[in-house]
Amino acid sequence: MGFPTEMFTVLFALGRLPGWIAQWHEMIKEPGSRIGRPRQIYTGVVERDFVPVEER
Amino acid sequence: MSDNSVVVRYGDGEYTYPVIDSTVGDKGFDIGKLRAQTGLVTLDSGYGNTAAYKSAITYLDGEAGILRYRGYPIEQLAERSTFLEVAYLLINGELPSVDELSVFKNDITQHTLLHEDVKNFYRGFPRDAHPMAMLSSVVSALSTFYQDSHNPFDEKQRNLSTIRLLAKLPTIAAYAYKKSIGHPFVYPRNDLGYVENFLRMTFSVPAQEYEPDPVVVSALDKLLILHADHEQNCSTSTVRLVGSSQANMFASISAGINALWGPLHGGANQSVLEMLEGIQASGGDVDSFIRKVKNKEDGVRLMGFGHRVYKNFDPRAKIIKAAAHDVLSALGKSDELLDIALKLEEHALSDDYFVSRSLYPNVDFYTGLIYRAMGFPTEMFTVLFALGRLPGWIAQWHEMIKEPGSRIGRPRQIYTGVVERDFVPVEER
């Protein structure tokens, strides 16, 4: 059709648009719909004290 | 019963899933094989029981009122650190040395200018455009100007995008404000610190230079620190999800800004001001408002008190309360809304109805007051939240992209629609 490769994903977006809109409608109309807010498993340092920059 | 695995019984089978340890806080269990083994998926509305990631950036405990970035208590960081140092900490995992901090600050300072053509975007926006829409659009547009830093797997490019975003977001935010009031854009000045520069770009006009009050600078710096990360909240999860498709950092952060724009997320401090305006419009009678709250009258909502996550107290509110009072007395502004707010605060702190229900003034309450006193219109409040949250988004994006075996985020669904039917041409329907 003559589209440059950078336009391929744009054409994908054109096609996907009604799906995005339909899924957005379904989500917003769902009774008791909540904000998406996952949890995490924290694997970092538990606690340490701040050291001023001159002492690092 | 072993405490290092979880057994799921379904049909005739019994399936064992390993418990994943945390260093502190929620442990989880890894259901990676659940669907393959049982044919089941999990349903968890709002992902309230689903750890999206293992993460080593921020720990929070709502019941105990604990918030730590990379292990450092928020109280110590707010009191003794600076926003740029905290940004470095979140993104790199450790506090910077003197040299590292000086290079980081210098890099950011050198990138504060926007490409002149970016101004054309603002010219195209209508004057009443919401600044969050301008913020996310222009951040997304940065990906058109900086195509040399799109590759998420090239460390140099990642770091360049990081510096560009941290440096340019205050300029983008200030320009959005200038557009909304019809004032000329004010260029950044490299001899100023991060917060001073932002305040000057926002509030100075060619006819009048702006001298930031050190109390205001310090309060805003603290506020940015307090908002810098909050683990896997909605906007952060959005940044990670978009980034998991290997979209560039500008595209990912732009999506996060849009998520933050939602009233359930970043709009809380704006709602506080709207509540105060409601009280003012009905004659400014705080006592009568409090009576209505206690009687649970229709349409009366108490905003900025208590917190969904922090059940007993909000560690951020404790810190910012003092700063709020400092700013109000330093600016010495007489403002009916601020008077109403202070009366409301006094009530809430002494009234048993509020105290017994943990309806303490939260971070959004004080944040709204401070921004109001500083002269920001309410539409800008969420923009200031975005400025603060940026290093958290970037840090979480880096962690996601560097995770070995990182995969595209792609949840499942439980299909509840029509199973199958044949297409009927339009004339026959």
Side-chain angles (χ1 to χ4, degrees), chain B residues 23-253:
Chain B
T23 46
V24 57
D26 292 336
K27 295 177 182 185
F29 63 104
D30 183 344
I31 55 161
K33 294 190 176 130
L34 180 75
R35 185 169 174 273
Q37 290 178 338
T38 65
L40 293 173
V41 294
T42 58
L43 179 63
D44 183 21
S45 165
Y47 311 108
N49 304 277
T50 301
Y53 290 93
K54 289 194 275 185
S55 179
I57 299 172
T58 290
Y59 172 68
L60 80 85
D61 177 338
E63 275 75 30
I66 291 171
L67 175 62
R68 297 182 199 131
Y69 300 156
R70 301 283 189 185
Y72 294 106
I74 191 68
E75 293 82 359
Q76 293 185 20
L77 293 172
E79 198 55 47
R80 301 168 67 188
S81 190
T82 62
F83 178 62
L84 281 190
E85 195 175 59
V86 167
Y88 185 99
L89 169 71
L90 284 166
I91 294 164
N92 297 289
E94 298 296 331
L95 285 166
S97 67
V98 172
D99 290 347
E100 286 165 340
L101 185 60
S102 137
V103 169
F104 185 65
K105 275 186 182 167
N106 185 56
D107 283 351
I108 288 175
T109 305
Q110 296 305 320
H111 283 87
T112 50
L113 207 57
L114 296 180
H115 192 292
E116 276 297 286
D117 290 346
V118 172
K119 285 185 182 170
N120 294 327
F121 287 89
Y122 290 92
R123 292 200 180 96
F125 294 130
R127 182 172 160 180
D128 61 353
H130 196 287
M132 283 300 274
M134 292 192 258
L135 201 69
S136 73
S137 303
V138 174
V139 168
S140 190
L142 290 185
S143 63
T144 66
F145 290 88
Y146 303 113
Q147 302 192 46
D148 59 342
S149 63
H150 279 194
N151 182 357
F153 300 109
D154 180 318
E155 193 184 350
K156 271 197 182 141
Q157 295 191 29
R158 278 201 304 262
N159 293 341
L160 185 53
S161 288
T162 298
I163 294 294
R164 281 170 168 161
L165 274 165
L166 287 169
K168 292 176 200 303
L169 198 64
T171 317
I172 294 169
Y175 280 22
Y177 173 70
K178 289 300 193 194
K179 168 73 193 191
S180 73
I181 56 169
H183 283 182
F185 302 128
V186 174
Y187 288 120
R189 237 176 61 190
N190 285 359
D191 60 323
L192 296 178
Y194 195 80
V195 168
E196 288 98 322
N197 189 39
F198 168 65
L199 286 169
R200 183 181 165 274
M201 288 189 291
T202 304
F203 292 121
S204 82
V205 287
Q208 177 85 53
E209 190 47 56
Y210 171 82
E211 295 294 340
D213 187 317
V215 175
V216 169
V217 173
S218 154
L220 185 52
D221 197 77
K222 273 196 178 64
L223 276 172
L224 296 179
I225 292 175
L226 297 183
H227 287 91
D229 199 47
H230 217 232
E231 46 116 315
Q232 309 307 322
N233 58 86
C234 181
S235 58
T236 300
S237 296
T238 301
V239 169
R240 280 185 178 256
L241 191 60
V242 173
S244 78
S245 76
Q246 298 174 12
N248 66 69
M249 203 189 288
F250 305 108
S252 307
I253 299 295

Side-chain angles (χ1 to χ4, degrees), chain A residues 34-53 56, chain B residues 22-23 46 48 50-53 55 58 68 70-71 76 85 94 96 230-232 237:
Chain A
R34 299 164 58 190
I35 189 169
R37 206 298 185 192
R39 303 277 176 181
Q40 67 174 14
I41 295 173
Y42 182 70
T43 56
V45 177
V46 175
E47 189 173 3
R48 49 182 165 171
D49 280 323
F50 181 81
V51 179
V53 64
R56 276 173 224 152
Chain B
S22 61
T23 46
T50 301
Y53 290 93
S55 179
T58 290
R68 297 182 199 131
R70 301 283 189 185
Q76 293 185 20
E85 195 175 59
E94 298 296 331
H230 217 232
E231 46 116 315
Q232 309 307 322
S237 296

Side-chain angles (χ1 to χ4, degrees), chain B residues 262-273 303-304 362 364-365 382 385:
Chain B
L264 290 188
H265 191 357
N269 47 29
Q270 186 170 334
S271 316
V272 170
L273 260 289
M303 305 304 295
N362 64 27
D364 299 314
F365 180 81
T382 319
F385 191 162

